[in-house]
Amino acid sequence: MAAMASSTARHAPTVGFDLDMTLIDSRPGIHAVYLALSAETGVPIDADLAITRLGPPLEEELAHWFPEDRIEEMGDRYREIYPTFAIAPTPAMPGAREAIAAVQALGGRAIVVTAKHQPNAELHLNHLGIEPDEVVGWLWAEAKAVALREHGATVYVGDHIGDVRGARTAGALSVAVPTGPCDEEELRTAGADVILPDLTAFPAWLESYAESYATVEAADLA
């Protein structure tokens, strides 16, 4: 039995996950931060609209509301007040904990690779009791490939076409969930290899993938 467990762990894949709208529904928290930033600065921000565009770096959204010479300052302030307003109201997405646990149960590693400020990403995960093996922040789209390659991820799970691009740049399998701003057609057109309705379907898919992954690795070693 011990030998079998060791063999399974040896062939277990490393899986990367996006954070916003993949593992967590960050819309309520981010909405609250934008309202607070608007109240503090006196600058009107349509928070309802802003949360429909989650995924890209914060500065891209701030550019819709602030002049260029204030974006860096407002980004710093947003991240500073974020823990006060965004952590408590943000729930886990359905199946998020189970998806991370499914990877680890196979002896694999689950890593979170996100464009979000890493300390705030870690606050979310700690608050929700989601326990990946590693968290890497400040990476968006193709730049996510840096962390995916570094950690040897063969799968990357995300909700945005930027996540698909990151997976493909890293040479990882792109698993997409249309739980964020991008629908199934957009994700498929961007090149997603697998589309699941949400993370509740991930453990069953992973079990099938892990079997084929182990078979391929065994063939390569033969």
Side-chain angles (χ1 to χ4, degrees), residues 2-218:
M4 183 178 296
S6 174
S7 175
T8 301
R10 185 166 60 248
H11 295 296
T14 294
V15 179
F17 292 87
D18 176 51
L19 183 65
D20 288 359
M21 303 312 299
T22 300
L23 291 174
I24 65 172
D25 184 350
S26 50
R27 290 172 298 185
I30 289 176
H31 190 277
V33 179
Y34 278 126
L35 291 182
L37 190 65
S38 179
E40 182 178 300
T41 62
V43 174
I45 298 175
D46 187 341
D48 291 335
L49 176 59
I51 62 171
T52 68
R53 300 190 288 224
L54 299 183
L58 169 65
E59 284 73 16
E60 291 189 20
E61 183 60 41
L62 292 176
H64 292 288
W65 315 108
F66 295 94
E68 185 176 354
D69 62 356
R70 296 197 68 193
I71 291 175
E72 182 177 355
E73 172 198 357
M74 290 299 98
D76 290 344
R77 184 55 180 157
Y78 174 102
R79 296 180 183 101
E80 184 179 7
I81 65 175
Y82 190 97
T84 300
F85 294 97
I87 304 301
T90 297
M93 294 293 281
R97 295 181 186 86
E98 293 82 0
I100 297 289
V103 176
Q104 295 166 336
L106 287 175
R109 298 182 73 247
I111 64 172
V112 173
V113 183
T114 175
K116 191 180 288 296
H117 182 47
Q118 185 168 319
N120 288 339
E122 291 171 347
L123 285 175
H124 276 300
L125 294 165
N126 291 337
H127 177 74
L128 294 170
I130 299 173
E131 300 180 349
D133 297 282
E134 192 79 33
V135 180
V136 183
W138 292 97
L139 296 177
W140 159 243
E142 287 83 356
K144 292 187 174 189
V146 174
L148 296 174
R149 287 179 180 140
E150 179 182 346
H151 292 279
T154 57
V155 177
Y156 186 59
V157 185
D159 67 282
H160 198 281
I161 59 173
D163 300 323
V164 177
R165 301 204 309 267
R168 294 180 67 85
T169 301
L173 193 75
S174 171
V175 176
V177 285
T179 51
C182 300
D183 62 25
E184 183 174 337
E185 182 178 354
E186 289 177 277
L187 295 166
R188 194 179 305 281
T189 300
D193 298 296
V194 176
I195 298 180
L196 303 175
D198 56 38
L199 286 183
T200 62
F202 180 79
W205 174 85
L206 179 66
E207 184 175 356
S208 175
Y209 169 77
E211 290 177 2
S212 61
Y213 178 80
T215 299
V216 169
E217 275 208 336

